[in-house]
Structure formats: C-alpha cells, structure tokens
Amino acid sequence: MTFKGKFTTLETNRLILRQWQQTDLQPFAELNADPEVMKYFPKTLSRQESDNVVARFKAMIGANQGWGLWAVEMKATGEFVGSVGLAQQPDRFDFSPCTEIGWRINKKFWGQGIAKEAAQASLAYAFNVLHLPEVVSFTSTHNTPSEKLMQRLGMQKHTIFLHPALPADHALAEHVLYKIFHNNFIDSPL
C-alpha cells in the first residue's frame, strides 16, 4: 500500500487502485453503457449518469480521507480496468450501518482474477488499516459470477433481501447478502 497526498493508492502485483482521474471518464462510461457488464444493474448508464457516478466516487474518496470505490488500472500498461473498493452504507439497508465492497470491471478483463485481486486488496485495507469488524457485499440473486467471487473471497452467505431502490416486483429486486468478518479474513500476498 502506498499513499499519494491524502489519497490512498493500493497496489497489487498487477493493479493500481487509485483516485479517479479525468481520463477515466470515457472508459468508465463505455463500461457503464455495455449491456453485458450492466446485466445485473437496473439499466445501462448514459455518459452524464456515468460521469455523475465518478463524481460521487471521487467525492467519497476525498470525504473518507483517501478510500472508497477506487478506479483500477493495470500496473504494466496504465489501462483502465474498472472500479473496485469500499462504500459506507450508513442507513440505506436493514443491515446498515455497514461497509460494502463492490466491483464493476470491463468485460475485457473478466476471467483473469482481476476483480478478486483488487477486492482482496480492498479487504486487506478494510481490515488491516481501517480495522473494520466486517465487510458486506450484495448483488442480485441472478448474478452468479459476483456471488462466486464473494465465495472465493471467503465471504459467507447471510440472507436474501429486497433491494430498497427497486420495486419489489422488479426482476433484480431480490438480492443476496454476503459478509466477511475481520477474524475470518485471510490476507493473501498479492
């Protein structure tokens, strides 16, 4: 882990998780406009909606003194990969307050262990630096790839719930909640 100014930058063997930059806007907008990437989200995002997400993520990192949902780039090439990191959820869910780990990766990088590598670094930061007692993750019950990643990270299935931002009869409303506790986290070298 390295620090650049007040922003935390995490580094793994292949990745850099960092604060958002202007050059990330276009590739993130392309990722958010891809129906395959956004399959388990309510909809794809317009460029303006995507830019608004980046603005929120960037502000979150600033407000949290350096951590949040980071931009992820390939260390060797500088290529933008997506977003992985932590988000506080103070009151949105029945299981709030909590800190969530999430990811959204360009499909070009799927199946390469990139999301796991970045998520593992985020969990290490959550437990070893922030000293959080637990971290949660959730997704639509249809999103088996993300659920499998949660399991590979050592997270345990906790419950199924209806996402409060979606109508109860929406196809993606039913979500699965996973948790990992600090004392169950195995920090693997990256």
Side-chain angles (χ1 to χ4, degrees):
M1 231 172 305
T2 60
F3 296 87
K4 291 184 180 179
K6 69 176 188 170
F7 301 117
T8 301
T9 300
L10 307 181
E11 292 188 26
T12 69
N13 287 339
R14 300 181 289 172
L15 307 171
I16 298 172
L17 286 72
R18 57 163 173 74
Q19 176 61 296
W20 291 81
Q21 301 168 356
Q22 190 68 25
T23 54
D24 300 326
L25 294 176
Q26 181 62 36
F28 193 60
E30 291 168 7
L31 180 156
N32 286 321
D34 186 325
E36 196 173 354
V37 172
M38 300 299 285
K39 181 177 181 178
Y40 302 108
F41 289 87
K43 66 183 188 98
T44 58
L45 302 181
S46 70
R47 173 62 191 258
Q48 186 59 57
E49 289 168 327
S50 180
D51 288 356
N52 292 344
V53 169
V54 170
R56 284 195 308 273
F57 289 175
K58 193 172 182 177
M60 175 195 310
I61 291 171
N64 289 338
Q65 300 177 353
W67 63 273
L69 287 158
W70 290 284
V72 180
E73 71 178 54
M74 295 300 295
K75 192 185 283 188
T77 64
E79 188 174 4
F80 179 83
V81 171
S83 176
V84 177
L86 306 165
Q88 293 175 318
Q89 298 289 351
D91 55 13
R92 188 174 191 188
F93 303 101
D94 289 343
F95 48 88
S96 291
C98 61
T99 300
E100 167 197 6
I101 185 168
W103 43 83
R104 193 175 310 175
I105 302 291
N106 184 312
K107 67 183 174 192
K108 172 183 176 180
F109 298 100
W110 291 358
Q112 300 175 37
I114 299 285
K116 182 181 180 194
E117 188 172 322
Q120 187 78 17
S122 298
L123 287 173
Y125 186 80
F127 293 130
N128 300 334
V129 177
L130 300 176
H131 305 290
L132 297 176
E134 71 177 19
V135 174
V136 305
S137 192
F138 48 86
T139 190
S140 162
T141 54
H142 302 291
N143 190 350
T144 344
S146 274
E147 192 171 351
K148 286 181 180 176
L149 176 55
M150 293 172 198
Q151 294 164 355
R152 287 193 307 275
L153 290 167
M155 303 185 90
Q156 300 295 313
K157 188 174 182 179
H158 183 70
T159 192
I160 292 179
F161 68 98
L162 294 177
H163 197 291
L166 297 171
D169 61 348
H170 192 283
L172 299 175
E174 193 172 75
H175 273 53
V176 61
L177 172 68
Y178 275 73
K179 292 184 178 188
I180 186 168
F181 295 92
H182 189 180
N183 59 344
N184 294 52
F185 175 68
I186 299 170
D187 193 2
S188 66
L190 300 172

PDB file of all heavy atoms in Angstrom, residues 5 19 21 29 40 60 67 72 79 95 101 108 110 116 120 126 136-138 156 164 175-176:
ATOM      1  N   GLY A   5      -0.311  11.904  -1.364  1.00  0.00           N
ATOM      2  CA  GLY A   5      -1.045  13.009  -0.750  1.00  0.00           C
ATOM      3  C   GLY A   5      -2.029  12.453   0.253  1.00  0.00           C
ATOM      4  O   GLY A   5      -1.702  11.577   1.032  1.00  0.00           O
ATOM      5  N   GLN A  19      -7.321   7.117  -6.828  1.00  0.00           N
ATOM      6  CA  GLN A  19      -8.331   8.160  -7.005  1.00  0.00           C
ATOM      7  C   GLN A  19      -8.635   8.303  -8.500  1.00  0.00           C
ATOM      8  O   GLN A  19      -7.792   8.022  -9.356  1.00  0.00           O
ATOM      9  CB  GLN A  19      -7.815   9.482  -6.418  1.00  0.00           C
ATOM     10  CG  GLN A  19      -8.693  10.704  -6.603  1.00  0.00           C
ATOM     11  CD  GLN A  19     -10.072  10.625  -5.975  1.00  0.00           C
ATOM     12  OE1 GLN A  19     -10.877   9.797  -6.368  1.00  0.00           O
ATOM     13  NE2 GLN A  19     -10.366  11.497  -5.020  1.00  0.00           N
ATOM     14  N   GLN A  21      -9.411   9.939 -12.157  1.00  0.00           N
ATOM     15  CA  GLN A  21      -8.816  10.988 -12.978  1.00  0.00           C
ATOM     16  C   GLN A  21      -9.752  11.305 -14.146  1.00  0.00           C
ATOM     17  O   GLN A  21     -10.594  10.478 -14.517  1.00  0.00           O
ATOM     18  CB  GLN A  21      -7.458  10.524 -13.522  1.00  0.00           C
ATOM     19  CG  GLN A  21      -6.476  10.155 -12.447  1.00  0.00           C
ATOM     20  CD  GLN A  21      -5.243   9.435 -12.994  1.00  0.00           C
ATOM     21  OE1 GLN A  21      -5.152   9.141 -14.180  1.00  0.00           O
ATOM     22  NE2 GLN A  21      -4.302   9.153 -12.112  1.00  0.00           N
ATOM     23  N   ALA A  29     -17.503   5.294 -18.806  1.00  0.00           N
ATOM     24  CA  ALA A  29     -18.784   5.482 -19.488  1.00  0.00           C
ATOM     25  C   ALA A  29     -19.034   4.339 -20.472  1.00  0.00           C
ATOM     26  O   ALA A  29     -20.162   3.840 -20.578  1.00  0.00           O
ATOM     27  CB  ALA A  29     -18.812   6.824 -20.211  1.00  0.00           C
ATOM     28  N   TYR A  40     -26.770  -7.028 -14.471  1.00  0.00           N
ATOM     29  CA  TYR A  40     -27.394  -7.195 -13.157  1.00  0.00           C
ATOM     30  C   TYR A  40     -27.631  -5.858 -12.452  1.00  0.00           C
ATOM     31  O   TYR A  40     -27.800  -5.812 -11.240  1.00  0.00           O
ATOM     32  CB  TYR A  40     -26.565  -8.144 -12.294  1.00  0.00           C
ATOM     33  CG  TYR A  40     -26.419  -9.491 -12.973  1.00  0.00           C
ATOM     34  CD1 TYR A  40     -25.201  -9.889 -13.523  1.00  0.00           C
ATOM     35  CD2 TYR A  40     -27.507 -10.345 -13.097  1.00  0.00           C
ATOM     36  CE1 TYR A  40     -25.072 -11.114 -14.154  1.00  0.00           C
ATOM     37  CE2 TYR A  40     -27.392 -11.574 -13.739  1.00  0.00           C
ATOM     38  CZ  TYR A  40     -26.167 -11.946 -14.261  1.00  0.00           C
ATOM     39  OH  TYR A  40     -26.051 -13.155 -14.897  1.00  0.00           O
ATOM     40  N   MET A  60     -16.409  10.659  -2.483  1.00  0.00           N
ATOM     41  CA  MET A  60     -16.372   9.689  -1.387  1.00  0.00           C
ATOM     42  C   MET A  60     -14.938   9.447  -0.933  1.00  0.00           C
ATOM     43  O   MET A  60     -14.642   9.427   0.259  1.00  0.00           O
ATOM     44  CB  MET A  60     -16.991   8.364  -1.860  1.00  0.00           C
ATOM     45  CG  MET A  60     -16.917   7.219  -0.867  1.00  0.00           C
ATOM     46  SD  MET A  60     -17.272   5.592  -1.613  1.00  0.00           S
ATOM     47  CE  MET A  60     -18.798   5.881  -2.485  1.00  0.00           C
ATOM     48  N   TRP A  67     -10.082   6.729   0.868  1.00  0.00           N
ATOM     49  CA  TRP A  67     -10.559   5.402   0.468  1.00  0.00           C
ATOM     50  C   TRP A  67     -12.001   5.452  -0.003  1.00  0.00           C
ATOM     51  O   TRP A  67     -12.742   6.364   0.321  1.00  0.00           O
ATOM     52  CB  TRP A  67     -10.399   4.391   1.601  1.00  0.00           C
ATOM     53  CG  TRP A  67     -11.210   4.690   2.841  1.00  0.00           C
ATOM     54  CD1 TRP A  67     -10.834   5.482   3.887  1.00  0.00           C
ATOM     55  CD2 TRP A  67     -12.519   4.206   3.153  1.00  0.00           C
ATOM     56  NE1 TRP A  67     -11.841   5.518   4.825  1.00  0.00           N
ATOM     57  CE2 TRP A  67     -12.885   4.740   4.410  1.00  0.00           C
ATOM     58  CE3 TRP A  67     -13.414   3.368   2.490  1.00  0.00           C
ATOM     59  CZ2 TRP A  67     -14.107   4.475   5.014  1.00  0.00           C
ATOM     60  CZ3 TRP A  67     -14.644   3.097   3.093  1.00  0.00           C
ATOM     61  CH2 TRP A  67     -14.958   3.648   4.350  1.00  0.00           C
ATOM     62  N   VAL A  72      -9.477   1.448 -11.022  1.00  0.00           N
ATOM     63  CA  VAL A  72      -8.473   0.380 -11.087  1.00  0.00           C
ATOM     64  C   VAL A  72      -7.816   0.425 -12.455  1.00  0.00           C
ATOM     65  O   VAL A  72      -8.489   0.535 -13.480  1.00  0.00           O
ATOM     66  CB  VAL A  72      -9.125  -1.007 -10.866  1.00  0.00           C
ATOM     67  CG1 VAL A  72      -8.071  -2.114 -10.929  1.00  0.00           C
ATOM     68  CG2 VAL A  72      -9.864  -1.051  -9.530  1.00  0.00           C
ATOM     69  N   GLU A  79      -3.747   0.856 -18.360  1.00  0.00           N
ATOM     70  CA  GLU A  79      -5.090   0.714 -18.938  1.00  0.00           C
ATOM     71  C   GLU A  79      -6.146   0.675 -17.834  1.00  0.00           C
ATOM     72  O   GLU A  79      -5.990  -0.011 -16.826  1.00  0.00           O
ATOM     73  CB  GLU A  79      -5.151  -0.569 -19.772  1.00  0.00           C
ATOM     74  CG  GLU A  79      -6.422  -0.706 -20.558  1.00  0.00           C
ATOM     75  CD  GLU A  79      -6.405  -1.919 -21.489  1.00  0.00           C
ATOM     76  OE1 GLU A  79      -5.434  -2.701 -21.469  1.00  0.00           O
ATOM     77  OE2 GLU A  79      -7.387  -2.082 -22.231  1.00  0.00           O
ATOM     78  N   PHE A  95     -29.664  -3.874   7.160  1.00  0.00           N
ATOM     79  CA  PHE A  95     -28.418  -4.309   7.802  1.00  0.00           C
ATOM     80  C   PHE A  95     -27.403  -3.168   7.924  1.00  0.00           C
ATOM     81  O   PHE A  95     -26.263  -3.396   8.302  1.00  0.00           O
ATOM     82  CB  PHE A  95     -27.809  -5.505   7.064  1.00  0.00           C
ATOM     83  CG  PHE A  95     -27.738  -5.331   5.575  1.00  0.00           C
ATOM     84  CD1 PHE A  95     -26.641  -4.727   4.978  1.00  0.00           C
ATOM     85  CD2 PHE A  95     -28.774  -5.780   4.769  1.00  0.00           C
ATOM     86  CE1 PHE A  95     -26.585  -4.558   3.608  1.00  0.00           C
ATOM     87  CE2 PHE A  95     -28.718  -5.636   3.381  1.00  0.00           C
ATOM     88  CZ  PHE A  95     -27.616  -5.022   2.792  1.00  0.00           C
ATOM     89  N   ILE A 101     -18.255  -3.879  -0.022  1.00  0.00           N
ATOM     90  CA  ILE A 101     -17.239  -3.989  -1.060  1.00  0.00           C
ATOM     91  C   ILE A 101     -17.964  -4.260  -2.370  1.00  0.00           C
ATOM     92  O   ILE A 101     -18.920  -5.033  -2.414  1.00  0.00           O
ATOM     93  CB  ILE A 101     -16.187  -5.081  -0.758  1.00  0.00           C
ATOM     94  CG1 ILE A 101     -15.090  -5.060  -1.827  1.00  0.00           C
ATOM     95  CG2 ILE A 101     -16.822  -6.457  -0.607  1.00  0.00           C
ATOM     96  CD1 ILE A 101     -13.864  -5.880  -1.477  1.00  0.00           C
ATOM     97  N   LYS A 108     -13.467  -7.068 -20.858  1.00  0.00           N
ATOM     98  CA  LYS A 108     -12.167  -7.462 -21.422  1.00  0.00           C
ATOM     99  C   LYS A 108     -11.281  -8.140 -20.365  1.00  0.00           C
ATOM    100  O   LYS A 108     -10.438  -8.965 -20.691  1.00  0.00           O
ATOM    101  CB  LYS A 108     -11.468  -6.214 -21.974  1.00  0.00           C
ATOM    102  CG  LYS A 108     -10.049  -6.418 -22.412  1.00  0.00           C
ATOM    103  CD  LYS A 108      -9.420  -5.131 -22.873  1.00  0.00           C
ATOM    104  CE  LYS A 108      -7.956  -5.352 -23.217  1.00  0.00           C
ATOM    105  NZ  LYS A 108      -7.321  -4.122 -23.679  1.00  0.00           N
ATOM    106  N   TRP A 110     -12.527  -9.856 -17.608  1.00  0.00           N
ATOM    107  CA  TRP A 110     -13.203 -10.937 -16.896  1.00  0.00           C
ATOM    108  C   TRP A 110     -12.414 -12.238 -17.041  1.00  0.00           C
ATOM    109  O   TRP A 110     -11.747 -12.479 -18.046  1.00  0.00           O
ATOM    110  CB  TRP A 110     -14.609 -11.142 -17.450  1.00  0.00           C
ATOM    111  CG  TRP A 110     -15.578 -10.024 -17.168  1.00  0.00           C
ATOM    112  CD1 TRP A 110     -15.344  -8.887 -16.452  1.00  0.00           C
ATOM    113  CD2 TRP A 110     -16.927  -9.936 -17.610  1.00  0.00           C
ATOM    114  NE1 TRP A 110     -16.477  -8.100 -16.427  1.00  0.00           N
ATOM    115  CE2 TRP A 110     -17.460  -8.724 -17.130  1.00  0.00           C
ATOM    116  CE3 TRP A 110     -17.745 -10.763 -18.372  1.00  0.00           C
ATOM    117  CZ2 TRP A 110     -18.770  -8.329 -17.378  1.00  0.00           C
ATOM    118  CZ3 TRP A 110     -19.052 -10.367 -18.624  1.00  0.00           C
ATOM    119  CH2 TRP A 110     -19.556  -9.174 -18.125  1.00  0.00           C
ATOM    120  N   LYS A 116     -10.930 -10.288  -8.250  1.00  0.00           N
ATOM    121  CA  LYS A 116     -10.540 -10.901  -6.965  1.00  0.00           C
ATOM    122  C   LYS A 116      -9.295 -10.223  -6.398  1.00  0.00           C
ATOM    123  O   LYS A 116      -9.224  -9.930  -5.203  1.00  0.00           O
ATOM    124  CB  LYS A 116     -10.299 -12.398  -7.120  1.00  0.00           C
ATOM    125  CG  LYS A 116      -9.946 -13.046  -5.791  1.00  0.00           C
ATOM    126  CD  LYS A 116      -9.671 -14.515  -5.892  1.00  0.00           C
ATOM    127  CE  LYS A 116      -9.328 -15.048  -4.508  1.00  0.00           C
ATOM    128  NZ  LYS A 116      -8.740 -16.377  -4.577  1.00  0.00           N
ATOM    129  N   GLN A 120      -9.438  -8.334  -2.946  1.00  0.00           N
ATOM    130  CA  GLN A 120      -8.586  -8.820  -1.851  1.00  0.00           C
ATOM    131  C   GLN A 120      -7.780  -7.661  -1.258  1.00  0.00           C
ATOM    132  O   GLN A 120      -7.660  -7.535  -0.038  1.00  0.00           O
ATOM    133  CB  GLN A 120      -7.654  -9.918  -2.365  1.00  0.00           C
ATOM    134  CG  GLN A 120      -6.843 -10.600  -1.300  1.00  0.00           C
ATOM    135  CD  GLN A 120      -7.635 -11.628  -0.501  1.00  0.00           C
ATOM    136  OE1 GLN A 120      -8.701 -12.068  -0.919  1.00  0.00           O
ATOM    137  NE2 GLN A 120      -7.130 -11.991   0.651  1.00  0.00           N
ATOM    138  N   ALA A 126      -9.524  -2.658   4.380  1.00  0.00           N
ATOM    139  CA  ALA A 126     -10.662  -2.545   5.305  1.00  0.00           C
ATOM    140  C   ALA A 126     -10.323  -3.110   6.682  1.00  0.00           C
ATOM    141  O   ALA A 126     -10.655  -2.512   7.708  1.00  0.00           O
ATOM    142  CB  ALA A 126     -11.882  -3.261   4.734  1.00  0.00           C
ATOM    143  N   VAL A 136     -19.502  -6.201   3.970  1.00  0.00           N
ATOM    144  CA  VAL A 136     -20.585  -6.909   3.298  1.00  0.00           C
ATOM    145  C   VAL A 136     -20.471  -6.723   1.789  1.00  0.00           C
ATOM    146  O   VAL A 136     -19.799  -5.809   1.314  1.00  0.00           O
ATOM    147  CB  VAL A 136     -21.983  -6.422   3.772  1.00  0.00           C
ATOM    148  CG1 VAL A 136     -22.104  -6.531   5.284  1.00  0.00           C
ATOM    149  CG2 VAL A 136     -22.277  -5.006   3.299  1.00  0.00           C
ATOM    150  N   SER A 137     -21.151  -7.595   1.062  1.00  0.00           N
ATOM    151  CA  SER A 137     -21.308  -7.439  -0.370  1.00  0.00           C
ATOM    152  C   SER A 137     -22.662  -8.015  -0.730  1.00  0.00           C
ATOM    153  O   SER A 137     -23.154  -8.929  -0.069  1.00  0.00           O
ATOM    154  CB  SER A 137     -20.201  -8.168  -1.134  1.00  0.00           C
ATOM    155  OG  SER A 137     -20.210  -7.785  -2.501  1.00  0.00           O
ATOM    156  N   PHE A 138     -23.263  -7.467  -1.757  1.00  0.00           N
ATOM    157  CA  PHE A 138     -24.575  -7.963  -2.166  1.00  0.00           C
ATOM    158  C   PHE A 138     -24.751  -7.766  -3.656  1.00  0.00           C
ATOM    159  O   PHE A 138     -24.109  -6.923  -4.277  1.00  0.00           O
ATOM    160  CB  PHE A 138     -25.704  -7.272  -1.387  1.00  0.00           C
ATOM    161  CG  PHE A 138     -25.606  -5.779  -1.329  1.00  0.00           C
ATOM    162  CD1 PHE A 138     -26.131  -4.986  -2.337  1.00  0.00           C
ATOM    163  CD2 PHE A 138     -24.980  -5.157  -0.261  1.00  0.00           C
ATOM    164  CE1 PHE A 138     -26.032  -3.606  -2.279  1.00  0.00           C
ATOM    165  CE2 PHE A 138     -24.872  -3.777  -0.186  1.00  0.00           C
ATOM    166  CZ  PHE A 138     -25.408  -2.995  -1.210  1.00  0.00           C
ATOM    167  N   GLN A 156     -19.304 -15.250   3.463  1.00  0.00           N
ATOM    168  CA  GLN A 156     -20.342 -16.239   3.738  1.00  0.00           C
ATOM    169  C   GLN A 156     -21.714 -15.643   3.462  1.00  0.00           C
ATOM    170  O   GLN A 156     -21.982 -14.493   3.825  1.00  0.00           O
ATOM    171  CB  GLN A 156     -20.270 -16.677   5.208  1.00  0.00           C
ATOM    172  CG  GLN A 156     -18.945 -17.317   5.603  1.00  0.00           C
ATOM    173  CD  GLN A 156     -18.705 -18.618   4.883  1.00  0.00           C
ATOM    174  OE1 GLN A 156     -19.578 -19.463   4.806  1.00  0.00           O
ATOM    175  NE2 GLN A 156     -17.500 -18.775   4.331  1.00  0.00           N
ATOM    176  N   PRO A 164     -33.947  -1.962  -1.572  1.00  0.00           N
ATOM    177  CA  PRO A 164     -34.911  -0.880  -1.360  1.00  0.00           C
ATOM    178  C   PRO A 164     -35.020   0.123  -2.515  1.00  0.00           C
ATOM    179  O   PRO A 164     -36.004   0.849  -2.605  1.00  0.00           O
ATOM    180  CB  PRO A 164     -34.408  -0.199  -0.087  1.00  0.00           C
ATOM    181  CG  PRO A 164     -32.972  -0.564   0.017  1.00  0.00           C
ATOM    182  CD  PRO A 164     -32.833  -1.906  -0.623  1.00  0.00           C
ATOM    183  N   HIS A 175     -32.013  -9.718  -3.699  1.00  0.00           N
ATOM    184  CA  HIS A 175     -30.561  -9.680  -3.579  1.00  0.00           C
ATOM    185  C   HIS A 175     -30.082 -10.670  -2.516  1.00  0.00           C
ATOM    186  O   HIS A 175     -30.798 -10.967  -1.569  1.00  0.00           O
ATOM    187  CB  HIS A 175     -30.090  -8.268  -3.181  1.00  0.00           C
ATOM    188  CG  HIS A 175     -29.878  -7.359  -4.334  1.00  0.00           C
ATOM    189  ND1 HIS A 175     -30.830  -7.128  -5.309  1.00  0.00           N
ATOM    190  CD2 HIS A 175     -28.801  -6.608  -4.684  1.00  0.00           C
ATOM    191  CE1 HIS A 175     -30.353  -6.278  -6.202  1.00  0.00           C
ATOM    192  NE2 HIS A 175     -29.127  -5.949  -5.843  1.00  0.00           N
ATOM    193  N   VAL A 176     -28.854 -11.113  -2.700  1.00  0.00           N
ATOM    194  CA  VAL A 176     -28.213 -11.968  -1.714  1.00  0.00           C
ATOM    195  C   VAL A 176     -27.170 -11.123  -0.981  1.00  0.00           C
ATOM    196  O   VAL A 176     -26.477 -10.310  -1.593  1.00  0.00           O
ATOM    197  CB  VAL A 176     -27.591 -13.217  -2.386  1.00  0.00           C
ATOM    198  CG1 VAL A 176     -26.523 -12.846  -3.383  1.00  0.00           C
ATOM    199  CG2 VAL A 176     -27.045 -14.180  -1.356  1.00  0.00           C
TER     200      VAL A 176
END
